[in-house]
Amino acid sequence: MYGPIADTIRTQRLVLEPLEVHHAEEMAPVLDDPRLHRYIGGEPLTLDELRARYAHLAAGPAPFHQEYWLNWIVRRVRDGQAVGYVQATVTPAAPEFTVASASAGATVTPGPPRLVASVAWVIGMPYQGFGFATEAARALLDRLAAHGLRDVVATVHPDNRASATVASRIGLRPTGETRDGETVWRLPRRAAPT
């Protein structure tokens, strides 16, 4: 699944580059603000810790995990400045079954395999308020949709109004679900064409 789905993505103002270990040097100062971690948790990583994290992410999950890790740094086109990152973790969803009833009994068949993409975006403090998160997240959703991934979720801390605004602008809607104290937002499912 990596192939073209993980290639560089371009928008009017941004370039999303597939994450590599060397990006740690320029991303460390972008992510080195405790205010940024208020809703996403943790604290700023040292350069060595960020390098190790990026090495882990770039390597991807172990082959027996049935998921894909897709990570991009977000960079401004006009000056090449790294401003944040977007990511998607793609996992298989529980199968949906259909039941066909007949006079002699019922036939239960699994539906087609379905993948769910859990997405996230983080933009450094000095670069917030310019629409970069919305533009980058929308580009990410467009890339996922182009590869058939339309089941998309994000989790947003209930007090993080900026991320809730981004989620809303890219078409996600809050659900009644929570995960680790965060609200689950979901792209509304569209009926299959007939």
Side-chain angles (χ1 to χ4, degrees):
M1 167 171 270
Y2 282 99
I5 198 169
D7 287 345
T8 299
I9 302 171
R10 298 181 191 285
T11 71
Q12 182 178 353
R13 299 181 303 154
L14 304 172
V15 174
L16 283 61
E17 290 180 12
L19 180 75
E20 295 182 25
V21 176
H22 71 84
H23 288 130
E25 280 74 18
E26 63 184 315
M27 289 299 295
V30 173
L31 303 175
D32 191 27
D33 188 325
R35 296 174 300 166
L36 187 62
H37 299 268
R38 179 177 180 187
Y39 299 120
I40 64 173
E43 57 189 44
L45 299 177
T46 67
L47 179 56
D48 286 340
E49 290 169 333
L50 194 58
R51 274 191 200 113
R53 174 142 178 77
Y54 283 7
H56 177 71
L57 291 172
F64 58 85
H65 289 140
Q66 293 185 328
E67 64 184 26
Y68 303 95
W69 297 346
L70 305 167
N71 297 277
W72 292 266
I73 67 158
V74 177
R75 168 182 316 284
R76 288 188 304 215
V77 168
R78 71 176 168 91
D79 61 3
Q81 174 64 48
V83 299
Y85 65 86
V86 293
Q87 62 187 41
T89 301
V90 180
T91 56
E96 294 178 351
F97 294 91
T98 57
V99 178
S101 183
S103 59
T107 303
V108 178
T109 54
R114 191 170 56 88
L115 297 174
V116 175
S118 180
V119 299
W121 48 87
V122 174
I123 299 296
M125 295 303 292
Y127 311 106
Q128 292 182 9
F130 299 101
F132 295 145
T134 300
E135 189 172 332
R138 185 172 288 130
L140 172 58
L141 263 58
D142 290 348
R143 174 60 58 95
L144 295 172
H147 289 275
L149 291 162
R150 289 179 177 78
D151 199 347
V152 177
V153 300
T155 58
V156 176
H157 189 282
D159 296 330
N160 190 341
R161 290 189 313 232
S163 273
T165 299
V166 171
S168 179
R169 287 182 177 162
I170 64 172
L172 301 176
R173 299 293 171 251
T175 68
E177 303 170 62
T178 60
R179 232 182 258 161
D180 298 325
E182 296 190 331
T183 303
V184 176
W185 290 65
R186 185 175 299 279
L187 194 61
R189 289 175 113 188
R190 306 216 189 302
T194 56

mmCIF file of all heavy atoms in Angstrom, residues 114-151:
data_model
loop_
_atom_site.group_PDB
_atom_site.id
_atom_site.type_symbol
_atom_site.label_atom_id
_atom_site.label_comp_id
_atom_site.label_asym_id
_atom_site.label_seq_id
_atom_site.Cartn_x
_atom_site.Cartn_y
_atom_site.Cartn_z
ATOM 1 N N ARG A 114 -12.664 -3.753 4.249
ATOM 2 C CA ARG A 114 -12.762 -2.306 4.395
ATOM 3 C C ARG A 114 -11.598 -1.831 5.245
ATOM 4 O O ARG A 114 -11.242 -2.448 6.239
ATOM 5 C CB ARG A 114 -14.104 -1.984 5.073
ATOM 6 C CG ARG A 114 -14.500 -0.555 5.088
ATOM 7 C CD ARG A 114 -15.956 -0.409 5.567
ATOM 8 N NE ARG A 114 -16.222 -1.000 6.853
ATOM 9 C CZ ARG A 114 -16.074 -0.376 8.023
ATOM 10 N NH1 ARG A 114 -15.684 0.865 8.057
ATOM 11 N NH2 ARG A 114 -16.336 -0.988 9.147
ATOM 12 N N LEU A 115 -10.996 -0.729 4.836
ATOM 13 C CA LEU A 115 -9.899 -0.142 5.584
ATOM 14 C C LEU A 115 -10.347 1.167 6.214
ATOM 15 O O LEU A 115 -11.162 1.887 5.645
ATOM 16 C CB LEU A 115 -8.707 0.125 4.663
ATOM 17 C CG LEU A 115 -8.070 -1.105 4.018
ATOM 18 C CD1 LEU A 115 -7.008 -0.682 3.015
ATOM 19 C CD2 LEU A 115 -7.468 -2.022 5.068
ATOM 20 N N VAL A 116 -9.818 1.449 7.402
ATOM 21 C CA VAL A 116 -10.116 2.688 8.105
ATOM 22 C C VAL A 116 -8.817 3.462 8.251
ATOM 23 O O VAL A 116 -7.794 2.905 8.660
ATOM 24 C CB VAL A 116 -10.708 2.418 9.506
ATOM 25 C CG1 VAL A 116 -10.909 3.716 10.269
ATOM 26 C CG2 VAL A 116 -11.999 1.645 9.408
ATOM 27 N N ALA A 117 -8.852 4.742 7.909
ATOM 28 C CA ALA A 117 -7.686 5.611 8.072
ATOM 29 C C ALA A 117 -7.928 6.534 9.256
ATOM 30 O O ALA A 117 -8.905 7.270 9.289
ATOM 31 C CB ALA A 117 -7.452 6.426 6.811
ATOM 32 N N SER A 118 -7.040 6.463 10.240
ATOM 33 C CA SER A 118 -7.073 7.369 11.385
ATOM 34 C C SER A 118 -6.056 8.473 11.097
ATOM 35 O O SER A 118 -4.870 8.191 10.946
ATOM 36 C CB SER A 118 -6.715 6.612 12.657
ATOM 37 O OG SER A 118 -6.748 7.472 13.759
ATOM 38 N N VAL A 119 -6.543 9.700 10.980
ATOM 39 C CA VAL A 119 -5.687 10.803 10.543
ATOM 40 C C VAL A 119 -5.413 11.789 11.679
ATOM 41 O O VAL A 119 -6.186 11.881 12.636
ATOM 42 C CB VAL A 119 -6.303 11.549 9.339
ATOM 43 C CG1 VAL A 119 -6.470 10.601 8.149
ATOM 44 C CG2 VAL A 119 -7.624 12.201 9.688
ATOM 45 N N ALA A 120 -4.298 12.511 11.537
ATOM 46 C CA ALA A 120 -3.934 13.537 12.509
ATOM 47 C C ALA A 120 -3.100 14.600 11.809
ATOM 48 O O ALA A 120 -2.497 14.338 10.763
ATOM 49 C CB ALA A 120 -3.135 12.924 13.664
ATOM 50 N N TRP A 121 -3.092 15.786 12.398
ATOM 51 C CA TRP A 121 -2.317 16.906 11.862
ATOM 52 C C TRP A 121 -1.758 17.693 13.028
ATOM 53 O O TRP A 121 -2.388 17.826 14.066
ATOM 54 C CB TRP A 121 -3.199 17.815 10.990
ATOM 55 C CG TRP A 121 -4.493 18.164 11.664
ATOM 56 C CD1 TRP A 121 -4.724 19.205 12.527
ATOM 57 C CD2 TRP A 121 -5.723 17.448 11.592
ATOM 58 N NE1 TRP A 121 -6.018 19.185 12.982
ATOM 59 C CE2 TRP A 121 -6.666 18.099 12.417
ATOM 60 C CE3 TRP A 121 -6.142 16.304 10.901
ATOM 61 C CZ2 TRP A 121 -7.972 17.663 12.578
ATOM 62 C CZ3 TRP A 121 -7.443 15.874 11.056
ATOM 63 C CH2 TRP A 121 -8.348 16.551 11.891
ATOM 64 N N VAL A 122 -0.551 18.200 12.870
ATOM 65 C CA VAL A 122 0.085 19.045 13.885
ATOM 66 C C VAL A 122 0.847 20.136 13.137
ATOM 67 O O VAL A 122 1.672 19.841 12.268
ATOM 68 C CB VAL A 122 1.053 18.250 14.785
ATOM 69 C CG1 VAL A 122 1.811 19.183 15.719
ATOM 70 C CG2 VAL A 122 0.310 17.186 15.578
ATOM 71 N N ILE A 123 0.553 21.372 13.469
ATOM 72 C CA ILE A 123 1.246 22.517 12.881
ATOM 73 C C ILE A 123 1.899 23.290 14.028
ATOM 74 O O ILE A 123 1.268 23.549 15.046
ATOM 75 C CB ILE A 123 0.260 23.430 12.105
ATOM 76 C CG1 ILE A 123 -0.401 22.657 10.950
ATOM 77 C CG2 ILE A 123 0.965 24.691 11.604
ATOM 78 C CD1 ILE A 123 0.541 22.185 9.857
ATOM 79 N N GLY A 124 3.173 23.631 13.850
ATOM 80 C CA GLY A 124 3.924 24.353 14.875
ATOM 81 C C GLY A 124 3.265 25.672 15.244
ATOM 82 O O GLY A 124 2.591 26.303 14.421
ATOM 83 N N MET A 125 3.460 26.090 16.468
ATOM 84 C CA MET A 125 2.805 27.292 17.002
ATOM 85 C C MET A 125 2.982 28.536 16.126
ATOM 86 O O MET A 125 2.012 29.233 15.868
ATOM 87 C CB MET A 125 3.281 27.570 18.432
ATOM 88 C CG MET A 125 2.896 26.497 19.448
ATOM 89 S SD MET A 125 1.132 26.166 19.582
ATOM 90 C CE MET A 125 0.560 27.689 20.312
ATOM 91 N N PRO A 126 4.189 28.852 15.638
ATOM 92 C CA PRO A 126 4.324 30.085 14.853
ATOM 93 C C PRO A 126 3.575 30.053 13.516
ATOM 94 O O PRO A 126 3.391 31.081 12.885
ATOM 95 C CB PRO A 126 5.835 30.202 14.588
ATOM 96 C CG PRO A 126 6.495 29.234 15.480
ATOM 97 C CD PRO A 126 5.477 28.206 15.856
ATOM 98 N N TYR A 127 3.159 28.854 13.093
ATOM 99 C CA TYR A 127 2.546 28.698 11.774
ATOM 100 C C TYR A 127 1.036 28.448 11.860
ATOM 101 O O TYR A 127 0.388 28.209 10.845
ATOM 102 C CB TYR A 127 3.235 27.555 11.025
ATOM 103 C CG TYR A 127 4.732 27.693 11.082
ATOM 104 C CD1 TYR A 127 5.502 26.862 11.895
ATOM 105 C CD2 TYR A 127 5.380 28.700 10.369
ATOM 106 C CE1 TYR A 127 6.872 27.020 11.980
ATOM 107 C CE2 TYR A 127 6.753 28.862 10.449
ATOM 108 C CZ TYR A 127 7.485 28.020 11.255
ATOM 109 O OH TYR A 127 8.852 28.187 11.348
ATOM 110 N N GLN A 128 0.493 28.491 13.068
ATOM 111 C CA GLN A 128 -0.943 28.286 13.232
ATOM 112 C C GLN A 128 -1.703 29.557 12.868
ATOM 113 O O GLN A 128 -1.167 30.663 12.962
ATOM 114 C CB GLN A 128 -1.246 27.859 14.669
ATOM 115 C CG GLN A 128 -0.707 26.478 14.977
ATOM 116 C CD GLN A 128 -1.043 26.003 16.373
ATOM 117 O OE1 GLN A 128 -1.827 26.620 17.093
ATOM 118 N NE2 GLN A 128 -0.455 24.886 16.760
ATOM 119 N N GLY A 129 -2.945 29.375 12.453
ATOM 120 C CA GLY A 129 -3.795 30.511 12.128
ATOM 121 C C GLY A 129 -3.722 30.941 10.674
ATOM 122 O O GLY A 129 -4.351 31.928 10.290
ATOM 123 N N PHE A 130 -2.983 30.210 9.846
ATOM 124 C CA PHE A 130 -2.858 30.543 8.427
ATOM 125 C C PHE A 130 -3.579 29.541 7.518
ATOM 126 O O PHE A 130 -3.459 29.621 6.303
ATOM 127 C CB PHE A 130 -1.380 30.617 8.026
ATOM 128 C CG PHE A 130 -0.618 31.671 8.771
ATOM 129 C CD1 PHE A 130 0.185 31.325 9.843
ATOM 130 C CD2 PHE A 130 -0.713 33.012 8.416
ATOM 131 C CE1 PHE A 130 0.889 32.286 10.543
ATOM 132 C CE2 PHE A 130 -0.020 33.981 9.106
ATOM 133 C CZ PHE A 130 0.786 33.626 10.184
ATOM 134 N N GLY A 131 -4.273 28.575 8.117
ATOM 135 C CA GLY A 131 -4.986 27.575 7.325
ATOM 136 C C GLY A 131 -4.122 26.422 6.844
ATOM 137 O O GLY A 131 -4.575 25.602 6.047
ATOM 138 N N PHE A 132 -2.881 26.323 7.331
ATOM 139 C CA PHE A 132 -2.002 25.238 6.885
ATOM 140 C C PHE A 132 -2.533 23.866 7.293
ATOM 141 O O PHE A 132 -2.451 22.909 6.523
ATOM 142 C CB PHE A 132 -0.583 25.425 7.420
ATOM 143 C CG PHE A 132 0.135 26.638 6.886
ATOM 144 C CD1 PHE A 132 1.011 27.337 7.690
ATOM 145 C CD2 PHE A 132 -0.059 27.074 5.586
ATOM 146 C CE1 PHE A 132 1.692 28.449 7.209
ATOM 147 C CE2 PHE A 132 0.608 28.183 5.090
ATOM 148 C CZ PHE A 132 1.490 28.872 5.905
ATOM 149 N N ALA A 133 -3.051 23.752 8.518
ATOM 150 C CA ALA A 133 -3.562 22.456 8.978
ATOM 151 C C ALA A 133 -4.726 22.002 8.105
ATOM 152 O O ALA A 133 -4.787 20.839 7.693
ATOM 153 C CB ALA A 133 -3.985 22.533 10.443
ATOM 154 N N THR A 134 -5.646 22.914 7.805
ATOM 155 C CA THR A 134 -6.794 22.557 6.958
ATOM 156 C C THR A 134 -6.337 22.162 5.567
ATOM 157 O O THR A 134 -6.785 21.146 5.019
ATOM 158 C CB THR A 134 -7.791 23.737 6.884
ATOM 159 O OG1 THR A 134 -8.251 24.024 8.211
ATOM 160 C CG2 THR A 134 -8.972 23.416 5.994
ATOM 161 N N GLU A 135 -5.437 22.925 4.990
ATOM 162 C CA GLU A 135 -4.958 22.645 3.635
ATOM 163 C C GLU A 135 -4.226 21.300 3.572
ATOM 164 O O GLU A 135 -4.437 20.504 2.660
ATOM 165 C CB GLU A 135 -4.044 23.776 3.167
ATOM 166 C CG GLU A 135 -3.650 23.702 1.714
ATOM 167 C CD GLU A 135 -2.895 24.943 1.247
ATOM 168 O OE1 GLU A 135 -3.109 26.044 1.810
ATOM 169 O OE2 GLU A 135 -2.081 24.804 0.307
ATOM 170 N N ALA A 136 -3.373 21.048 4.557
ATOM 171 C CA ALA A 136 -2.617 19.795 4.583
ATOM 172 C C ALA A 136 -3.530 18.602 4.857
ATOM 173 O O ALA A 136 -3.421 17.559 4.203
ATOM 174 C CB ALA A 136 -1.516 19.868 5.634
ATOM 175 N N ALA A 137 -4.453 18.752 5.807
ATOM 176 C CA ALA A 137 -5.367 17.649 6.135
ATOM 177 C C ALA A 137 -6.301 17.347 4.959
ATOM 178 O O ALA A 137 -6.585 16.186 4.665
ATOM 179 C CB ALA A 137 -6.169 17.975 7.388
ATOM 180 N N ARG A 138 -6.758 18.381 4.277
ATOM 181 C CA ARG A 138 -7.623 18.174 3.097
ATOM 182 C C ARG A 138 -6.848 17.435 2.005
ATOM 183 O O ARG A 138 -7.368 16.530 1.357
ATOM 184 C CB ARG A 138 -8.152 19.504 2.580
ATOM 185 C CG ARG A 138 -9.153 19.332 1.437
ATOM 186 C CD ARG A 138 -9.822 20.634 1.043
ATOM 187 N NE ARG A 138 -10.772 21.028 2.078
ATOM 188 C CZ ARG A 138 -10.821 22.233 2.640
ATOM 189 N NH1 ARG A 138 -9.980 23.176 2.279
ATOM 190 N NH2 ARG A 138 -11.714 22.505 3.560
ATOM 191 N N ALA A 139 -5.591 17.814 1.786
ATOM 192 C CA ALA A 139 -4.759 17.129 0.794
ATOM 193 C C ALA A 139 -4.570 15.663 1.170
ATOM 194 O O ALA A 139 -4.601 14.779 0.309
ATOM 195 C CB ALA A 139 -3.409 17.833 0.667
ATOM 196 N N LEU A 140 -4.390 15.398 2.457
ATOM 197 C CA LEU A 140 -4.257 14.027 2.935
ATOM 198 C C LEU A 140 -5.532 13.237 2.650
ATOM 199 O O LEU A 140 -5.477 12.126 2.111
ATOM 200 C CB LEU A 140 -3.943 14.017 4.432
ATOM 201 C CG LEU A 140 -3.960 12.661 5.136
ATOM 202 C CD1 LEU A 140 -2.991 11.683 4.511
ATOM 203 C CD2 LEU A 140 -3.678 12.847 6.620
ATOM 204 N N LEU A 141 -6.694 13.799 2.983
ATOM 205 C CA LEU A 141 -7.959 13.104 2.719
ATOM 206 C C LEU A 141 -8.175 12.872 1.224
ATOM 207 O O LEU A 141 -8.655 11.808 0.824
ATOM 208 C CB LEU A 141 -9.145 13.874 3.312
ATOM 209 C CG LEU A 141 -9.606 13.387 4.679
ATOM 210 C CD1 LEU A 141 -8.518 13.420 5.709
ATOM 211 C CD2 LEU A 141 -10.828 14.134 5.130
ATOM 212 N N ASP A 142 -7.806 13.855 0.406
ATOM 213 C CA ASP A 142 -7.925 13.678 -1.045
ATOM 214 C C ASP A 142 -7.052 12.525 -1.524
ATOM 215 O O ASP A 142 -7.466 11.732 -2.367
ATOM 216 C CB ASP A 142 -7.544 14.963 -1.783
ATOM 217 C CG ASP A 142 -8.561 16.081 -1.613
ATOM 218 O OD1 ASP A 142 -9.684 15.818 -1.117
ATOM 219 O OD2 ASP A 142 -8.221 17.240 -1.957
ATOM 220 N N ARG A 143 -5.824 12.424 -0.986
ATOM 221 C CA ARG A 143 -4.923 11.334 -1.381
ATOM 222 C C ARG A 143 -5.503 9.986 -0.952
ATOM 223 O O ARG A 143 -5.507 9.027 -1.717
ATOM 224 C CB ARG A 143 -3.541 11.548 -0.759
ATOM 225 C CG ARG A 143 -2.538 10.419 -0.965
ATOM 226 C CD ARG A 143 -2.207 10.114 -2.430
ATOM 227 N NE ARG A 143 -1.679 11.236 -3.139
ATOM 228 C CZ ARG A 143 -0.388 11.493 -3.312
ATOM 229 N NH1 ARG A 143 0.522 10.685 -2.812
ATOM 230 N NH2 ARG A 143 -0.010 12.550 -3.994
ATOM 231 N N LEU A 144 -6.037 9.915 0.268
ATOM 232 C CA LEU A 144 -6.634 8.662 0.736
ATOM 233 C C LEU A 144 -7.824 8.277 -0.134
ATOM 234 O O LEU A 144 -7.965 7.121 -0.533
ATOM 235 C CB LEU A 144 -7.057 8.795 2.203
ATOM 236 C CG LEU A 144 -5.920 8.994 3.220
ATOM 237 C CD1 LEU A 144 -6.493 9.313 4.591
ATOM 238 C CD2 LEU A 144 -5.006 7.778 3.264
ATOM 239 N N ALA A 145 -8.691 9.254 -0.444
ATOM 240 C CA ALA A 145 -9.877 8.978 -1.274
ATOM 241 C C ALA A 145 -9.469 8.514 -2.664
ATOM 242 O O ALA A 145 -10.104 7.619 -3.243
ATOM 243 C CB ALA A 145 -10.762 10.214 -1.355
ATOM 244 N N ALA A 146 -8.401 9.091 -3.218
ATOM 245 C CA ALA A 146 -7.931 8.691 -4.545
ATOM 246 C C ALA A 146 -7.481 7.234 -4.569
ATOM 247 O O ALA A 146 -7.446 6.605 -5.622
ATOM 248 C CB ALA A 146 -6.787 9.609 -4.994
ATOM 249 N N HIS A 147 -7.160 6.702 -3.399
ATOM 250 C CA HIS A 147 -6.743 5.303 -3.287
ATOM 251 C C HIS A 147 -7.840 4.438 -2.663
ATOM 252 O O HIS A 147 -7.566 3.359 -2.144
ATOM 253 C CB HIS A 147 -5.434 5.211 -2.511
ATOM 254 C CG HIS A 147 -4.282 5.729 -3.297
ATOM 255 N ND1 HIS A 147 -3.580 4.972 -4.197
ATOM 256 C CD2 HIS A 147 -3.743 6.973 -3.380
ATOM 257 C CE1 HIS A 147 -2.648 5.697 -4.771
ATOM 258 N NE2 HIS A 147 -2.739 6.928 -4.283
ATOM 259 N N GLY A 148 -9.072 4.943 -2.693
ATOM 260 C CA GLY A 148 -10.215 4.150 -2.258
ATOM 261 C C GLY A 148 -10.487 4.150 -0.770
ATOM 262 O O GLY A 148 -11.358 3.422 -0.309
ATOM 263 N N LEU A 149 -9.758 4.941 0.003
ATOM 264 C CA LEU A 149 -9.958 4.970 1.452
ATOM 265 C C LEU A 149 -10.917 6.101 1.804
ATOM 266 O O LEU A 149 -10.546 7.276 1.754
ATOM 267 C CB LEU A 149 -8.631 5.170 2.176
ATOM 268 C CG LEU A 149 -7.687 3.980 2.086
ATOM 269 C CD1 LEU A 149 -6.275 4.385 2.421
ATOM 270 C CD2 LEU A 149 -8.154 2.876 2.994
ATOM 271 N N ARG A 150 -12.140 5.732 2.139
ATOM 272 C CA ARG A 150 -13.149 6.741 2.437
ATOM 273 C C ARG A 150 -13.668 6.646 3.868
ATOM 274 O O ARG A 150 -14.471 7.461 4.286
ATOM 275 C CB ARG A 150 -14.295 6.625 1.446
ATOM 276 C CG ARG A 150 -13.871 7.084 0.063
ATOM 277 C CD ARG A 150 -14.966 6.960 -0.966
ATOM 278 N NE ARG A 150 -14.512 7.482 -2.241
ATOM 279 C CZ ARG A 150 -13.716 6.859 -3.087
ATOM 280 N NH1 ARG A 150 -13.255 5.662 -2.780
ATOM 281 N NH2 ARG A 150 -13.363 7.396 -4.234
ATOM 282 N N ASP A 151 -13.223 5.637 4.595
ATOM 283 C CA ASP A 151 -13.603 5.502 5.998
ATOM 284 C C ASP A 151 -12.496 6.162 6.812
ATOM 285 O O ASP A 151 -11.429 5.583 7.006
ATOM 286 C CB ASP A 151 -13.768 4.029 6.359
ATOM 287 C CG ASP A 151 -14.583 3.823 7.612
ATOM 288 O OD1 ASP A 151 -14.819 4.805 8.345
ATOM 289 O OD2 ASP A 151 -14.978 2.678 7.868
#
